Amino acid sequence: MENITKSEKAQSVVSSFKNKMMRQTILSFGVCVHCGMCTESCHYYLATEDPHMAPAYKADRVRALYKKYFDWTGRLLPKWVGAKDLENDDELKELMDIVFGSCTMCRRCTFNCPMGVDKALLMRTGRAILYEQGIAPQGVLDVAKDQWETGNQMGISDVDYLETIEWLNEELQAELDDPDAVIPLDKIGCNIVYAVNPRAIKYAPQSLLAAAKIFYAAGESWTMSSKGWDNTNFGLFSGDNKLGAHMGNLVFDSVVRLEGKMLVTSECGHGYRATAWESPNWAGRDLKFPIYNFLEIMHSYVSTDRIKLDKSLNPYKVTYHDPCNLGRSGGITEEPRYLLKQSVSSFQEMYPNRADNFCCTGGGGAMSMSEYSKRRLETAVVKANQLKETSADIVVTACHNCVDGLADLIKHYKLKMKVKLVGELVADALVIDKMYKGPSIKPLPITEKTILVIDDEPDVVTFLSTLFLDNGYKTQSATSYERAVESLEVNMPDLITLDLSLPGRNGLHIYHFLKTTEEYKNIPVVFVTGINPDMPGQLDSRKFIYENKLPKPEGYIEKPVDKDLLLMAIRKCLDLKDK
Ligand code: SF4
Ligand code: SF4
């Protein structure tokens, strides 16, 4: 890309556009009557009241090309109908800002368009023509590269994947008090082949543990695959159908190889949509097995009494956030509500909901686009207001991406709410005869392991140190880069919890130092952070997670800290380090 001139780049984008026309896109390009009925559907517009954020205005920038090259009115009266070419680099950047940075492809506007214009499809077309020329946010390029090269969006190696499953087996056996309880791997001829979002392996193992408990309680015949296990698909967000087909094929091939009767995708909105509805087309596959989402499977277990739930085990007020790709685009709206009403003591609907729900603001790959974090959080005021009105303790969703998007906005708008997945609450409400020990965390043996807590807030240092001491670890602490280096010279810790938002040389400087220094680079690091990318001089931890300058941290926990999740992350990192 660097070797060609700007106009050549624009020319390539335009040529690419000409090749992307198909019936569906032509229809959506052709029928907008600019009635404006979609305007107030979009959280970008509602939050900013900026007319440039109106769906039709944004789509018009892509539509201008259609008018220029495919519509006769554009040839006769270009100015009148808004026909316009793409000429230079600045215009390409402007287009990137619109199609990647100003739309989460949530399709709420599509549902409110009387003409059925699918603006998310138009935005995806815009993304596709730019991405094909290497023009996209760095995070999107990096994640797509990871999916091509490693088969999963977090670049998790085969060894790390297998060791995490092995470690989770130990957790599962301890919680269920059953040495035979396992997450089956590569088992032939099972009823279900279960594919997951890599976040479940890397940063949220509790979600896979929850699924394993539910399958166990149901006596399900299920397996995971050692290859082709990622159900996410950046082909959907980048516009790259070839990547879409590649990721779909990896998962579909697993089901065929393992002779599974059905494919079940984990709680992941776009993963379900891409795998169930888009990838078979991108890959040109006529699948011989059905594809379900885990919500549908859990629903069938509970509604047929195959598993038993006790809602008093979750004495919380919860609300449900419909992920756009599951609710609006996937039609799965009642199953999660049914499950939550059986699993928790109090359920509060948020409004609007179901197909009319607002995006978590992290959709369309937005969480990987750190350059737009500020705008994303600004527009999140719409979602924050929705959440506030529920006064719920927990917002439950069915998508890992939504968990991240909601957690970010909850932190930004200082809401007192936790985020959980449906399966986690269902697992916590499970009643499994006498041998089930409930959702308690495995007691930790007294250990010689030392954790270095790096954080500048004394209250947090005290809280974390006490938590670790109470759970059998030794601790040391440091409040700055300099103190951390001194501490490392005196005593080598087994694990480090790291706050990124430190005065002076911040947490990323420390992380860089650790991962580029031979003697420290293998110490697992868990980010325990509450930084706000919106504040001047602050860092964006998500930029760090998605843009691979250094290896990803071994763990990532948002403040305010959930003790159980942090302990699980710590235990996972230490156990895997010992293997
Ligand atoms: S509602 Fe449909 S027809 Fe009306 S402006 Fe929006 S996209 Fe165009
Ligand atoms: S798809 Fe969603 S984010 Fe994009 S323009 Fe429509 S309402 Fe806005």
Side-chain angles (χ1 to χ4, degrees):
M1 193 178 79
E2 282 74 17
N3 297 330
I4 56 179
T5 66
K6 288 175 186 173
S7 58
E8 278 174 326
K9 224 192 288 179
Q11 188 50 49
S12 304
V13 170
V14 170
S15 308
S16 172
F17 179 79
K18 290 179 184 169
N19 295 328
K20 290 276 179 294
M21 284 306 102
M22 53 178 186
R23 197 169 45 139
Q24 235 184 334
T25 16
I26 288 172
L27 260 178
S28 278
F29 276 128
V31 299
C32 175
V33 292
H34 292 92
C35 66
M37 284 179 71
C38 56
T39 303
E40 300 211 344
S41 303
C42 181
H43 57 281
Y44 284 91
Y45 174 79
L46 289 175
T48 61
E49 293 189 357
D50 176 355
H52 296 97
M53 290 292 149
Y57 179 89
K58 292 183 277 191
D60 267 359
R61 193 59 200 97
V62 191
R63 191 183 286 110
L65 278 179
Y66 167 80
K67 289 282 181 194
K68 163 100 184 140
Y69 290 102
F70 289 90
D71 190 340
W72 64 270
T73 59
R75 286 186 210 114
L76 286 180
L77 302 160
K79 286 217 171 105
W80 185 259
V81 298
K84 196 168 176 305
D85 210 348
L86 278 170
E87 308 277 1
N88 57 48
D89 220 23
D90 286 343
E91 288 179 353
L92 295 182
K93 261 199 211 150
E94 187 202 345
L95 185 62
M96 181 173 105
D97 186 86
I98 292 171
V99 296
F100 284 102
S102 310
C103 175
T104 56
M105 297 163 71
C106 74
R107 302 184 75 235
R108 193 167 189 270
C109 54
T110 301
F111 272 58
N112 287 297
C113 171
M115 307 299 288
V117 175
D118 190 344
K119 276 160 298 287
L121 177 70
L122 304 188
M123 292 297 177
R124 186 172 182 268
T125 306
R127 289 183 179 202
I129 58 178
L130 293 174
Y131 176 86
E132 227 166 66
Q133 306 308 320
I135 304 167
Q138 191 57 44
V140 173
L141 296 173
D142 286 342
V143 174
K145 184 165 170 275
D146 274 344
Q147 287 207 315
W148 275 116
E149 290 177 359
T150 67
N152 72 83
Q153 65 148 290
M154 291 199 166
I156 298 167
S157 70
D158 288 352
V159 173
D160 283 352
Y161 174 73
L162 296 176
E163 284 184 348
T164 300
I165 302 267
E166 218 176 288
W167 174 81
L168 276 169
N169 283 340
E170 290 166 19
E171 294 281 313
L172 188 66
Q173 287 159 11
E175 282 204 21
L176 296 171
D177 199 14
D178 181 353
D180 296 327
V182 288
I183 295 171
L185 204 61
D186 288 341
K187 218 167 137 190
I188 305 292
C190 289
N191 197 30
I192 288 174
V193 176
Y194 188 57
V196 297
N197 182 313
R199 186 176 171 277
I201 303 293
K202 185 86 184 165
Y203 297 124
Q206 75 280 0
S207 63
L208 181 50
L209 193 61
K213 280 196 242 173
I214 293 164
F215 284 137
Y216 174 91
E220 186 59 86
S221 142
W222 72 294
T223 188
M224 289 183 67
S225 174
S226 58
K227 300 264 174 216
W229 49 266
D230 176 2
N231 68 31
T232 70
N233 197 325
F234 257 58
L236 185 65
F237 301 150
S238 64
D240 182 1
N241 289 357
K242 289 197 189 97
L243 177 59
H246 172 66
M247 291 308 295
N249 276 329
L250 288 179
V251 180
F252 301 152
D253 288 346
S254 293
V255 183
V256 173
R257 178 174 58 84
L258 297 172
E259 298 169 27
K261 305 219 175 11
M262 66 178 89
L263 171 61
V264 174
T265 62
S266 68
E267 290 183 72
C268 174
H270 95 270
Y272 170 70
R273 177 176 160 201
T275 308
W277 305 113
E278 312 286 2
S279 300
N281 296 326
W282 292 329
R285 299 265 299 238
D286 183 12
L287 300 173
K288 306 285 183 243
F289 51 84
I291 302 173
Y292 295 102
N293 184 260
F294 188 46
L295 291 175
E296 297 171 285
I297 300 300
M298 286 190 284
H299 177 268
S300 76
Y301 294 159
V302 179
S303 60
T304 58
D305 285 333
R306 193 163 156 185
I307 61 175
K308 289 192 176 53
L309 303 178
D310 177 356
K311 58 171 86 171
S312 71
L313 293 171
N314 285 318
Y316 315 114
K317 183 177 181 185
V318 311
T319 189
Y320 180 66
H321 162 78
D322 289 274
C324 302
N325 283 311
L326 275 176
R328 197 154 30 244
S329 295
I332 300 182
T333 55
E334 302 317 304
E335 292 85 347
R337 287 173 169 78
Y338 173 83
L339 288 165
L340 289 174
K341 285 172 187 168
Q342 305 292 321
S343 310
V344 301
S345 57
S346 171
F347 177 76
Q348 169 67 50
E349 202 57 89
M350 79 169 73
Y351 297 97
N353 54 50
R354 296 177 168 85
D356 204 28
N357 190 29
F358 283 106
C359 179
C360 69
T361 69
M367 299 310 293
S368 66
M369 305 176 202
S370 56
E371 49 275 76
Y372 304 123
S373 295
K374 189 171 180 299
R375 186 186 291 155
R376 171 169 60 79
L377 286 166
E378 187 187 347
T379 65
V381 67
V382 176
K383 189 84 233 171
N385 288 339
Q386 252 191 306
L387 293 181
K388 241 188 266 172
E389 276 167 27
T390 67
S391 69
D393 308 311
I394 301 175
V395 51
V396 187
T397 188
C399 171
H400 280 277
N401 201 52
C402 294
V403 170
D404 279 345
L406 293 168
D408 257 19
L409 76 89
I410 283 171
K411 188 170 63 187
H412 184 77
Y413 289 97
K414 300 186 174 49
L415 307 182
K416 297 206 178 332
M417 228 176 241
K418 286 186 176 179
V419 191
K420 281 188 180 275
L421 292 166
V422 178
E424 291 170 14
L425 285 166
V426 171
D428 284 353
L430 271 176
V431 178
I432 313 177
D433 295 336
K434 60 182 180 344
M435 62 186 177
Y436 181 56
K437 293 278 169 83
S440 61
I441 296 292
K442 182 174 75 168
L444 285 165
I446 298 298
T447 164
E448 290 304 305
K449 305 281 187 208
T450 300
I451 299 174
L452 168 60
V453 175
I454 305 177
D455 202 302
D456 64 323
E457 292 176 59
D459 287 356
V460 176
V461 172
T462 306
F463 168 75
L464 293 179
S465 300
T466 309
L467 178 69
F468 297 148
L469 285 168
D470 286 351
N471 283 276
Y473 299 102
K474 294 178 181 169
T475 63
Q476 54 197 77
S477 62
T479 52
S480 65
Y481 181 99
E482 292 73 21
R483 297 285 93 78
V485 173
E486 277 170 25
S487 176
L488 286 161
E489 282 167 359
V490 175
N491 192 3
M492 182 80 91
D494 297 284
L495 182 142
I496 294 172
T497 66
L498 179 61
D499 179 19
L500 297 185
S501 178
L502 298 175
R505 278 190 280 181
N506 60 42
L508 285 191
H509 288 103
I510 298 178
Y511 190 77
H512 186 272
F513 167 73
L514 290 167
K515 293 300 172 185
T516 53
T517 305
E518 193 54 37
E519 49 186 319
Y520 304 134
K521 71 179 187 194
N522 292 324
I523 303 174
V525 178
V526 176
F527 286 179
V528 179
T529 191
I531 63 179
N532 179 355
D534 207 21
M535 304 253 299
Q538 291 265 354
L539 300 160
D540 188 344
S541 48
R542 299 212 175 269
K543 182 179 174 69
F544 204 78
I545 305 276
Y546 284 104
E547 297 176 16
N548 302 315
K549 304 288 183 294
L550 284 173
K552 291 178 172 61
E554 281 76 8
Y556 177 86
I557 300 281
E558 301 264 356
K559 287 180 185 172
V561 170
D562 181 316
K563 288 191 281 184
D564 291 342
L565 292 188
L566 177 60
L567 287 173
M568 182 179 259
I570 298 288
R571 201 158 58 239
K572 176 186 167 217
C573 293
L574 288 172
D575 287 356
L576 292 186
K577 188 180 166 222
D578 285 345
K579 280 191 192 292

